[in-house]
Structure formats: C-alpha cells, structure tokens
C-alpha cells in the first residue's frame, strides 16, 4: 500500500503518505462535497457566454452519475501544459473512452475565454472538456492551490490528475512540482481506472 | 482610489512581457515611459471580442500614424498573465509596434484606479477599457470608458489629440 502510494506521487514513503492524505480531498472522498458551493466556468467564446448568461456549471452536474478523468494544470498557453499535458490526454482519448470514461476534463485557473482560445489552438475541444476555475476556489477547496507569482502567474494550481467515479475520487495524482510531468499523465491514469 | 486623470503622473509599476527574444521580463512603467510620449491603453481581457476585434486592431493599424506624430511607445496592458498576452499578441502577426504587457494580478491597474469587477462574467477583477497619452510620465489625455463599451478609448481619439 505504501509503495503503491509512493509510486503514484513520488518521493519517500512518509512524504507520499502525507501527500495522499493532503488537505480536503483524497482517494475515497467525494469531490463535490470537498468543494461545497463551487462551480466551474465552461470554456466558451464571449458570444456563447452572453447566450448562456455567463452561467457556471455546478460540480455535481460534472461529476455525479459519471466516470470522469480530470486533470489540472498551472496555466493555459504555458510550456508543459500546452506541449505535453493536454496532448497526453488528447492522444489517449480513445483508450480512456474504451475504459468507460464518460468525460475527460481539463481545468485550470484561467477565465473561460482564454481557455476557449487555447483549447481551439490545441484542437482539443472535441476530445476534452475545458473548464475554468477562474477565481481558484475549486483548487483551493481541494488544497491544490499554489502561488506561482515568481513565474508571474499569481495564484494557480498544481499539476494533477484524478479518476472520479460518480463523485468519488478513486485515483489522485499530484506532481511534486508544477513544472514536472510524470504522475499526472494519461498513461498513468489509464492504469488506475 | 480615484481613477487617473489629466495632469496626474503615471504611477510606476512592474508589468510582465515576453520580449523580442522570447525572454520573460518584468519591465518598469517608469523606465518605459520616462522622457517619452507614450500611449497606454487597457482592455478588460485578452481573447474577448471588443478587445480583440476592435480596440487592439485600431492601435495596430494606426501605429505608424501615431509614431509619425511623435509617439514613442504604444503599450497595451491587461490583467492577464504574460503567457496569455504573448499568445494573444501572436494572433496579430501584422503588429509591429504595440507592446502587449501583462498586469498579471492587476496591481498596476489598481494603481491607476481603473479596476473593474467582471466576476459575474467569469473574468474576476480586470481593467476598464481606457487609453491614456502621457508625456514624460505626465498624463495629457485620459479617455476612460464607463463599462466595457468602445467609444472614446480608441486610436482615433488619441490621434485627434496629438
């Protein structure tokens, strides 16, 4: 058990156990109750925003009754996020769907218009649903917030991934540092589904 | 704080920028603007329609005329991070003169007294739409829109004032 956790989050056994039990969300907990009152903004163009009255999507609509793979990253248009993280999921979408996954979601602390522009640029909108945690409250509730002011990004999120089944977190992977890309890839989560 | 106006001195502040060599820099407004005629214009958000389709293109296409009238720098700021500003700038390959600067967490916008709460639209606290002309850091023209509309803050108005 400890070694499996260590393999998932990297680092020593003790550090891995601490990471796995971090904050308010961990394997076994309900992601919706971990972030009460939080909604996300679906990536969209401004016109779509006007048409939908800028409505937000509550977490329960995203997670309940579905098998979801969700991954979070520090920022749209940044290096690792654009070049490796999103492509990892885009390229494995068929395998994920074959394992019964209903939605693959990418979330980051960006507004929904920037996210929309980015998702279109990466040609990933067909495979992946992009949601903006524009005020960071989703990531804060899950204890996944990180201050990246040094990189001029402000408060953002760690790089992470999770497999959530009907709202219950079944697998939860967080990189040691947001610039790394090891445990949060599509390949790793495919093994955990 | 009250919004910046004619006669005020441009406050100093740090803005993020990917320069010509694609290096991430923090630039000081005073260093960019001291001793020069600069236009500083601001928009609520990168990749939003009025900003992208009207406000920014106006300054890009009028840049040569503005420079011919003595403007040294045309600076665009928005409360976005520098990666987003760089990506947005890349959607204007014809742009030669407008510098896309990032006021990542809105500190400079607050210093100008021009913040605008667009939380309900999913944007958080951003900047009002505006255009300023400053001569050696002294504001000589301050065109600030009330909401997100685009009436007085374009390149045409600044050209007329020069």
């Amino acid at each position: 058990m400890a070694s499996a956790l260590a393999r998932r989050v990297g680092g020593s056994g003790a550090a891995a156990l601490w990471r796995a039990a971090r904050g308010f969300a961990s394997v076994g907990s309900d992601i919706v109750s971990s972030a009460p009152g939080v909604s996300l903004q679906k990536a969209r163009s401004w016109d779509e925003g006007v048409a939908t009255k800028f409505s937000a999507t509550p977490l329960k609509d995203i997670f309940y009754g579905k098998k979801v793979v969700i991954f979070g990253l520090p920022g749209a248009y940044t290096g690792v996020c654009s070049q490796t993280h999103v492509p990892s999921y885009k390229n494995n979408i068929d395998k994920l769907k074959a394992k019964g996954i209903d939605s693959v979601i990418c979330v980051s602390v960006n507004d929904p218009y920037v996210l929309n522009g980015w998702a279109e640029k990466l040609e990933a909108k067909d495979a992946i649903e992009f949601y903006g945690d524009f005020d960071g409250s989703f990531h804060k509730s899950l204890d996944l917030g990180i201050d990246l002011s040094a990189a001029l990004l402000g408060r953002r999120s760690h790089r992470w991934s999770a497999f959530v089944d009907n709202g219950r977190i079944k697998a939860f992977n967080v990189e040691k540092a947001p610039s790394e890309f090891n445990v949060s890839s599509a390949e790793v989560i495919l093994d955990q589904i | 704080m009250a919004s910046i106006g004619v006669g005020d001195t441009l406050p100093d502040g740090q803005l993020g920028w990917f320069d010509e060599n694609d290096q991430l820099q923090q630039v000081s407004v005073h260093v960019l603007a001291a001793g020069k005629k600069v236009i500083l214009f601001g928009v609520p958000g990168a990749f939003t329609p009025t900003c992208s389709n009207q406000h920014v293109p106006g300054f890009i296409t009028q840049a040569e005329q503005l420079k011919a009238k003595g403007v040294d720098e045309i600076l665009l700021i928005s409360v976005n991070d520098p990666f987003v500003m760089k990506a947005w700038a890349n959607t204007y390959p014809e742009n030669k003169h407008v510098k896309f600067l990032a006021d990542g967490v809105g500190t400079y916008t607050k210093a100008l007294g021009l913040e605008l709460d667009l939380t309900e639209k999913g944007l958080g606290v951003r900047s009002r739409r505006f255009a300023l002309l400053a001569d050696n850091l002294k504001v000589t023209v301050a065109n600030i829109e009330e909401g997100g509309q685009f009436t007085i803050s374009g390149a045409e108005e600044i050209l007329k004032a020069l």
Side-chain angles (χ1 to χ4, degrees), chain A residues 75-180:
Chain A
Y77 293 107
T78 59
V80 177
C81 307
S82 300
Q83 281 147 28
T84 46
H85 204 174
V86 173
S88 161
Y89 284 86
K90 183 182 161 191
N91 298 335
N92 280 294
I93 188 71
D94 294 330
K95 290 196 186 133
L96 287 160
K97 296 259 154 134
K99 285 211 162 193
I101 298 298
D102 298 298
S103 331
V104 174
I105 293 177
C106 172
V107 62
S108 79
V109 183
N110 281 106
D111 68 61
Y113 317 103
V114 161
L115 265 184
N116 195 46
W118 185 50
E120 284 180 351
K121 177 142 197 275
L122 296 176
E123 292 174 347
K125 272 178 94 174
D126 292 332
I128 302 169
E129 294 171 48
F130 287 78
Y131 281 89
D133 178 20
F134 81 97
D135 62 0
S137 54
F138 176 60
H139 287 93
K140 190 152 177 253
S141 304
L142 299 180
D143 200 26
L144 287 169
I146 181 172
D147 189 346
L148 295 176
S149 296
L152 303 185
L153 287 168
R155 303 207 68 86
R156 293 297 173 106
S157 88
H158 276 279
R159 189 179 306 286
W160 62 282
S161 67
F163 166 45
V164 184
D165 192 347
N166 194 23
R168 204 147 289 275
I169 301 177
K170 293 286 176 73
F172 193 36
N173 310 301
V174 185
E175 300 289 355
K176 287 203 300 300
S179 50
E180 291 183 10

Side-chain angles (χ1 to χ4, degrees), chain B residues 7 45 98 111:
Chain B
V98 176

Side-chain angles (χ1 to χ4, degrees), chain B residues 8-51:
Chain B
D8 290 337
T9 304
L10 268 188
D12 198 5
Q14 302 280 351
L15 298 170
W17 183 45
F18 274 97
D19 67 15
E20 311 87 31
N21 301 316
D22 219 21
Q23 296 299 305
L24 181 55
Q25 308 263 16
Q26 290 247 52
V27 288
S28 131
V29 174
H30 276 197
V31 166
L32 278 173
K36 298 192 186 154
K37 250 199 178 81
V38 309
I39 292 171
L40 178 65
F41 73 105
V43 299
F47 295 101
T48 60
T50 311
C51 307

